[in-house]
Amino acid sequence: MAKITYSEQTFEINKDESVLECLARHGVELSSSCRAGVCQTCMVKATAGTNPPAEAQAGLKPQLQKQGYFLACICKPGQDLSFVNPDDSALPQIAATVVSKTRFNDNIIRLRLKPESEFDFQPGQFLNIHREDGLARSYSIASLPQEGYLELHVELVENGKMSNWLHNQVAMGGKLNIDGPHGDCFYIDDKPEQNLLLVGTGTGLAPLWGIIRDALSKGHKGEIHLFHGSHSTDKIYLVDELKQLAKLHSNFFYTPCISGEDTHGFSAGRANEVALSEIPKLDGYRVYLCGHPEMVSSAKKKTFLAGASMNDIHADAFTLSNS
Amino acid sequence: MSESLFDRIGGETAVDAAVDLFYRKVLADDRINSWFEGTDMERQHAKQKAFLTMALGGPNNYTGRDMREGHAHLVAKGLNDSHFDAVMENLGATLTELGVPADLIGEAAAIAESTRNDVLGK
């Protein structure tokens, strides 16, 4: 008989019983609604090393399937399965060393970390940095696995505890604790002909820089359109590198946008608005939205209304912290 | 009846085609879109899919009690027949746009209509 493990409790699951039913039989409540594998209310995540049956992942985004997400109500595992509630899935912390710290501009640094143990990730996912006093913040990964380091772009936030510490205190050779990776904002090579639209503001460019280079390195054939926005010309970054990338790849198009007054030869306006005015019809597109939460939320709705399928929209908004 | 409505309409493929169309109509409909402000779009999209699956006679285990409990907080804020009617209209328009025959649309509408009293807490 197969066993299921959830929240440090292990139960024997009956033949033809779903994971959701088994938990309920043991008095463990997991939120559910349709109980027919559609509404995704009971979605949980298999822990590394165990695999849910493929039919329990039907209808989920491929990015979620790849990370072991499945629906408890339609999961009848033939073998042992261990899983967690994705909302409280704390991953173990590992140590990482700062191997490079350079400056894009006055506000943004490029930090490269070398994890001291194995760290499997997809470019565009994010990790959490933990300081010894318990302070933790999330940063997206801009590098590719084959580059051998984790690249983060850190913007200095006024009164931001973590960003001030990373900018001013942490030096080359410094040790940090990280956990991750998290998130489903990454490239997947199941449709190489699909057109991609990527919109980012500020250091929302970090995950997109990872996703674009990942797609190109995997031979993506469809068009890749990046719209990156900043308030002013002194804050926009990676411009030369992105222009160079657009020269090398005929299917990559780069549009830097400035929302402030002095646009200095860049496209004028907010990146999400410029993107939608240049590409008003998004049928069949895969969309990536990263950066300020208001931009992400508004662009999610507008790109969906412009024809992108909800399963093809991936978003990663900054978390604005009050503490 | 040999084949279920769900199978005659085209099963999960038909629901997949319908859900984006239906949710776009709902979001664009000023009579009801304020009910969806501030909700997580992906979660809401999955719920819309579950609703369509049910209306099209597909697999679901919703009970009348689920419908009551799931909408009680909205009823308390004034959810009423006019909003339900608007959803029914969008459902019909979605299926018409997809070329579903009128008699099948009628069957789907009847299933959705059967949840009215529970959804509105009557």
Side-chain angles (χ1 to χ4, degrees):
Chain A
M1 193 178 281
K3 292 190 181 71
I4 59 167
T5 304
Y6 173 68
S7 289
E8 295 173 355
Q9 291 176 284
T10 298
F11 308 110
E12 288 193 342
I13 184 164
N14 293 330
K15 195 170 178 293
D16 288 331
E17 188 180 38
S18 73
V19 165
L20 185 69
E21 289 163 341
C22 177
L23 290 176
R25 184 162 58 83
H26 290 94
V28 178
E29 196 181 333
L30 192 67
S31 297
S32 68
S33 184
C34 80
R35 298 184 284 282
V38 187
C39 76
Q40 303 186 6
T41 306
C42 66
M43 187 162 69
V44 288
K45 187 184 179 194
T47 45
T50 64
N51 290 313
E55 61 270 18
Q57 299 186 303
L60 299 184
K61 282 183 181 181
Q63 282 83 347
L64 294 175
Q65 293 177 353
K66 196 165 179 170
Q67 294 179 82
Y69 284 85
F70 67 93
L71 302 176
C73 69
I74 51 163
C75 180
K76 296 177 177 173
Q79 53 192 23
D80 291 359
L81 184 61
S82 168
F83 57 96
V84 294
N85 185 333
D87 293 338
D88 51 36
S89 64
L91 292 173
Q93 290 183 25
I94 64 169
T97 309
V98 179
V99 292
S100 160
K101 181 180 176 181
T102 53
R103 196 165 272 290
F104 284 121
N105 55 38
D106 285 349
N107 286 296
I108 304 170
I109 54 169
R110 173 186 244 167
L111 211 54
R112 286 177 176 164
L113 312 177
K114 189 122 190 149
E116 288 180 6
S117 39
E118 194 152 329
F119 192 88
D120 284 327
F121 68 95
Q122 305 290 328
Q125 287 190 292
F126 66 89
L127 54 78
N128 294 313
I129 296 183
H130 298 264
R131 203 167 68 177
E132 276 186 0
D133 60 359
L135 186 72
R137 291 288 184 272
S138 304
Y139 294 96
S140 292
I141 306 170
S143 49
L144 310 185
Q146 58 267 34
E147 291 173 324
Y149 49 77
L150 300 167
E151 176 171 313
L152 315 175
H153 301 168
V154 182
E155 179 164 21
L156 188 65
V157 180
E158 201 180 342
N159 299 320
K161 290 179 193 165
M162 183 64 87
S163 65
N164 271 283
W165 182 63
L166 292 171
H167 270 251
N168 302 322
Q169 310 278 320
V170 172
M172 284 272 290
K175 300 270 190 220
L176 300 172
N177 284 321
I178 60 170
D179 81 74
H182 304 271
D184 65 354
C185 194
F186 56 84
Y187 178 72
I188 208 145
D189 56 359
D190 61 344
K191 290 182 191 161
E193 312 289 339
Q194 189 172 29
N195 291 333
L196 310 181
L197 168 67
L198 305 97
V199 181
T201 54
T203 50
L205 180 60
L208 302 181
W209 173 245
I211 290 165
I212 291 163
R213 293 181 310 128
D214 193 28
L216 291 170
S217 77
K218 287 173 177 161
H220 191 78
K221 304 258 189 312
E223 293 178 1
I224 304 175
H225 296 268
L226 168 68
F227 294 82
H228 179 225
S230 281
H231 181 69
S232 55
T233 51
D234 59 336
K235 286 189 175 162
I236 198 152
Y237 69 104
L238 277 174
V239 176
D240 293 340
E241 290 89 338
L242 284 161
K243 282 184 177 164
Q244 187 60 29
L245 205 61
K247 269 188 201 150
L248 288 172
H249 299 273
S250 59
N251 61 334
F252 173 58
F253 306 90
Y254 167 54
T255 311
C257 310
I258 298 296
S259 60
E261 301 217 323
D262 184 11
T263 57
H264 207 76
F266 293 95
S267 289
R270 293 176 187 274
N272 49 325
E273 288 162 6
V274 175
L276 276 158
S277 70
E278 292 202 7
I279 315 179
K281 297 271 292 170
L282 292 171
D283 299 82
Y285 269 77
R286 177 160 280 169
V287 176
Y288 295 91
L289 307 166
C290 301
H292 198 280
E294 276 171 32
M295 183 286 285
V296 168
S297 156
S298 145
K300 205 187 234 186
K301 186 167 166 181
K302 288 191 172 143
T303 52
F304 176 63
L305 290 174
S309 177
M310 185 57 72
N311 281 340
D312 281 331
I313 301 175
H314 307 280
D316 184 14
F318 297 146
T319 314
L320 301 178
S321 179
N322 299 317
S323 60
Chain B
M1 198 185 300
S2 57
E3 226 186 344
S4 73
L5 171 65
F6 191 61
D7 290 331
R8 281 178 289 145
I9 244 165
E12 207 186 327
T13 315
V15 176
D16 282 336
V19 63
D20 278 341
L21 209 54
F22 175 70
Y23 190 26
R24 274 187 205 113
K25 288 188 193 298
V26 167
L27 287 175
D29 187 338
D30 288 336
R31 293 172 298 173
I32 48 175
N33 54 14
S34 60
W35 293 97
F36 300 96
E37 293 281 320
T39 59
D40 180 297
M41 283 187 69
E42 277 170 71
R43 287 188 186 192
Q44 197 50 240
H45 184 263
K47 285 186 182 169
Q48 306 281 357
K49 187 175 168 185
F51 166 69
L52 286 174
T53 303
M54 181 204 65
L56 299 180
N60 77 89
N61 292 300
Y62 283 120
T63 62
R65 213 182 92 194
D66 289 336
M67 288 291 155
R68 278 178 189 272
E69 289 176 355
H71 295 92
H73 65 294
L74 301 174
V75 173
K77 287 184 198 156
L79 189 76
N80 63 37
D81 280 304
S82 72
H83 307 117
F84 196 93
D85 292 342
V87 170
M88 291 296 295
E89 203 180 301
N90 287 311
L91 173 66
T94 301
L95 298 178
T96 304
E97 201 171 321
L98 288 170
V100 174
D103 55 330
L104 299 190
I105 295 179
E107 284 186 50
I111 297 176
E113 187 60 49
S114 73
T115 67
R116 181 187 292 261
N117 286 350
D118 286 323
V119 167
L120 297 177
K122 292 189 191 175

